[in-house]
Amino acid sequence: MDVVVVGCGFAGAVIARILAEKGMKVLIVEKREHIGGNMYDYKDESGAYIHKYGPHIFHTNSDEVLNFINRFSSFFSYEHQVAGFIDGKFVPIPFNLLSIEMTMDNFKEIKDILIKTFGYGSVVPITVLMKYSDSKIRSIGDYVYEKVFLNYTKKQWGNNKVDETVLNRVPVYISYDRKYFTDKYQIMPCFGYTALFNNMINHPNIKIMLNCDFKECLKLNIKTSKILFHGKTFKGAFIYTGSIDELFEYKYGRLDYRSLRFEFKMLNKKYYQMFSVVNYPNDYDYTRITEFKHFTSLNVDSSKTTILYEYPCPCKESDIPYYPVLSRENNEVYYKYLKEAKRFKNLFLIGRLAEYKYYNMDQVILKSIDTAKKVLEK
Ligand code: FAD
Ligand code: UDP
């Protein structure tokens, strides 16, 4: 075995495929009973692909990423649109000029100010509006923050003291554009993510062990900086995509994550809501409802539809860590682990959990492609 990869999400599957194509023998060790990481999906009676770990929409500006994933699935163009339930109305999210018309009394004046200041078509982070020199712009920012961000963020993160980069993932559009993402390519796999992963790892040089926690066969010897595989020193590349604190047995404490409780419902109706995702910033305990039928390219003529409620929660030991909580304190702990990791010359960390970064799928794929080059250089 030349390479052992822990985890079969995009981070693990992409690097496994690249190295296998270079002639290396790769073993993937995955603790879940399925491949695909958080992208895993399956078809249910409604005829739609159900994303077991929450809605996953593929968006990227990278041709390299697009060319790579195109090898493993056909895709269809999918422009993600989200509505937010605000003051009894379903308004476009990201907040745009139509959202302003739908929720603010003096909308004409506000639209004029925004267009004059930023220019029609601009995309402005909420934190820029809230800190702007002009007090009128600041008060517009405060209004949008209060209606869209404040309570959603409290639900999602447990408080509203989140890193600015998190809030700025969802900017304000000074236009009538209602695409949720601004990327050049916005696509969905025609036959679901699981089929894509199946094709990706289907290579004679790749073997996979499911239902297997890496701790059953791999161990780091901290004293000698050696990796042990079934008790023997492993000199190949060890690619790790799980949580970095788990790898080092939490010696510097547990990293802070947020988790989610998913509640799926199959309804006896054709459709439940107008959009694939509706956000509920200010009402209910859940943050959003996803209806999966909207994600399919085919005209699914089924009398059933499946929806998903997402309830954010703290990440207890038995929960799945979905979101790294970005803060200076947490980064400090992360860097302690990273320093430790650097002592292992054949250890490579990739992905949302191992790098403790709020990565989208395309960022993880790019990181895997780059890391594969490093492995090959060694
Ligand atoms: P993962 O997909 O989490 O894969 C890691 C794998 O490692 C898992 O399969 C896990 O079981 C395995 N593993 C962990 N520990 C061990 C162990 N001890 N032993 C063996 N195996 C182990 N991104 C987008 O681009 N678009 C979206 O629309 C989008 N929506 C999202 C919605 C939600 C609710 C969430 C939580 C994330 C979303 N993301 C989205 C982000 C996306 O999920 C991540 O970018 C992606 O999952 C990262 O891939 P990964 O391989 O790093 O991690
Ligand atoms: N957010 C919000 N209201 C919304 C949408 C997003 O407050 O209607 C904030 C919230 O803090 C969230 C962050 O913006 O965690 C990023 O949103 P995104 O949709 O990117 O979250 P993800 O899909 O990654 O859960």
Side-chain angles (χ1 to χ4, degrees):
M1 199 58 58
D2 303 308
V3 184
V4 177
V5 178
V6 172
C8 193
F10 268 126
V14 168
I15 196 161
R17 177 72 190 209
I18 297 172
L19 297 178
E21 285 179 353
K22 295 286 177 191
M24 298 174 102
K25 299 270 181 216
V26 183
L27 173 70
I28 304 177
V29 177
E30 166 58 61
K31 73 175 173 188
R32 292 180 183 168
E33 60 185 12
H34 59 73
I35 60 172
N38 288 344
M39 283 59 69
Y40 173 76
D41 59 11
Y42 59 92
K43 232 180 196 177
D44 77 356
E45 256 183 88
S46 73
Y49 288 104
I50 309 302
H51 300 184
K52 183 174 176 183
Y53 304 98
H56 277 75
I57 299 100
F58 205 96
H59 52 102
T60 188
N61 285 316
S62 163
D63 288 299
E64 192 175 12
V65 168
L66 189 77
N67 291 337
F68 186 78
I69 57 164
N70 257 330
R71 295 176 49 208
F72 306 104
S73 178
S74 40
F75 289 84
F76 63 96
S77 286
Y78 169 79
E79 190 177 277
H80 191 45
Q81 297 194 351
V82 173
F85 185 64
I86 289 163
D87 293 343
K89 292 179 186 151
F90 293 97
V91 313
I93 301 287
F95 218 73
N96 67 9
L97 295 181
L98 180 59
S99 318
I100 289 172
E101 285 176 22
M102 289 173 80
T103 55
M104 296 168 98
D105 291 336
N106 49 344
F107 63 84
K108 275 205 174 91
E109 187 198 344
I110 287 171
K111 275 169 43 182
D112 284 349
I113 297 172
L114 289 172
I115 293 169
K116 217 165 143 191
T117 312
F118 299 103
Y120 185 86
S122 48
V123 174
V124 187
I126 181 68
T127 54
V128 168
L129 291 180
M130 290 165 75
K131 287 182 195 162
Y132 211 74
S133 48
D134 182 310
S135 66
K136 271 199 178 141
I137 303 273
R138 282 204 305 278
S139 64
I140 299 168
D142 290 344
Y143 174 87
V144 177
Y145 177 75
E146 200 180 297
K147 293 286 177 188
V148 179
F149 290 90
L150 177 64
N151 295 319
Y152 186 112
T153 299
K154 278 187 187 164
K155 282 194 259 185
Q156 177 75 5
W157 300 98
N159 62 60
N160 61 335
K161 314 240 169 321
V162 298
D163 196 89
E164 284 194 0
T165 57
V166 174
L167 297 182
N168 291 341
R169 285 169 63 92
V170 185
V172 174
Y173 291 168
I174 317 298
S175 67
Y176 290 90
D177 191 354
R178 56 166 313 158
K179 287 197 281 292
Y180 197 71
F181 303 112
T182 51
D183 302 56
K184 197 157 60 158
Y185 306 114
Q186 307 191 20
I187 52 175
M188 290 291 259
C190 294
F191 307 104
Y193 286 98
T194 306
L196 182 160
F197 275 88
N198 251 320
N199 291 336
M200 198 178 277
I201 63 166
N202 181 11
H203 189 282
N205 285 343
I206 300 180
K207 286 196 167 48
I208 178 155
M209 280 201 299
L210 294 176
N211 296 306
C212 181
D213 193 298
F214 79 90
K215 292 186 281 304
E216 292 175 38
C217 52
L218 286 145
K219 198 170 165 49
L220 299 188
N221 186 329
I222 304 290
K223 277 196 193 129
T224 60
S225 301
K226 295 238 155 62
I227 293 159
L228 302 176
F229 182 48
H230 288 299
K232 292 201 180 116
T233 301
F234 179 66
K235 294 202 172 127
F238 176 36
I239 318 284
Y240 182 76
T241 78
S243 300
I244 190 168
D245 51 351
E246 185 184 346
L247 181 63
F248 291 100
E249 296 172 17
Y250 310 103
K251 66 185 282 191
Y252 300 117
R254 279 179 185 274
L255 281 165
D256 205 5
Y257 291 97
R258 288 290 284 174
S259 193
L260 293 167
R261 182 170 68 77
F262 295 120
E263 199 178 298
F264 292 89
K265 263 192 197 159
M266 193 187 283
L267 309 172
N268 284 318
K269 51 165 71 178
K270 277 197 152 206
Y271 278 96
Y272 173 74
Q273 61 192 25
M274 285 279 290
F275 298 93
S276 51
V277 173
V278 176
N279 289 359
Y280 288 85
N282 307 315
D283 305 273
Y284 312 111
D285 290 338
Y286 47 83
T287 46
R288 56 188 180 189
I289 300 180
T290 298
E291 184 172 28
F292 293 99
K293 254 188 183 179
H294 293 281
F295 287 152
T296 149
S297 60
L298 309 164
N299 190 6
V300 182
D301 187 27
S302 144
S303 56
K304 293 188 167 134
T305 189
T306 301
I307 58 170
L308 164 66
Y309 298 83
E310 279 175 61
Y311 293 89
C313 53
C315 189
K316 297 192 296 297
E317 270 178 47
S318 54
D319 293 325
I320 298 179
Y322 287 112
Y323 294 93
V325 180
L326 307 182
S327 72
R328 197 172 49 80
E329 295 77 18
N330 293 343
N331 271 338
E332 276 169 15
V333 180
Y334 167 70
Y335 280 112
K336 283 187 191 167
Y337 284 118
L338 192 61
K339 201 171 157 199
E340 198 81 35
K342 284 195 172 140
R343 294 177 39 218
F344 293 82
K345 298 290 171 237
N346 53 342
L347 169 63
F348 298 86
L349 304 170
I350 329 172
R352 220 184 219 212
L353 299 169
E355 295 183 70
Y356 200 61
K357 288 206 167 69
Y358 197 158
Y359 275 150
N360 293 324
M361 293 181 275
D362 63 326
Q363 295 170 302
V364 170
I365 292 172
L366 258 188
K367 193 64 201 274
S368 274
I369 294 173
D370 283 349
T371 309
K373 288 177 195 151
K374 289 193 182 118
V375 173
L376 290 165
E377 277 163 15
K378 285 226 166 190

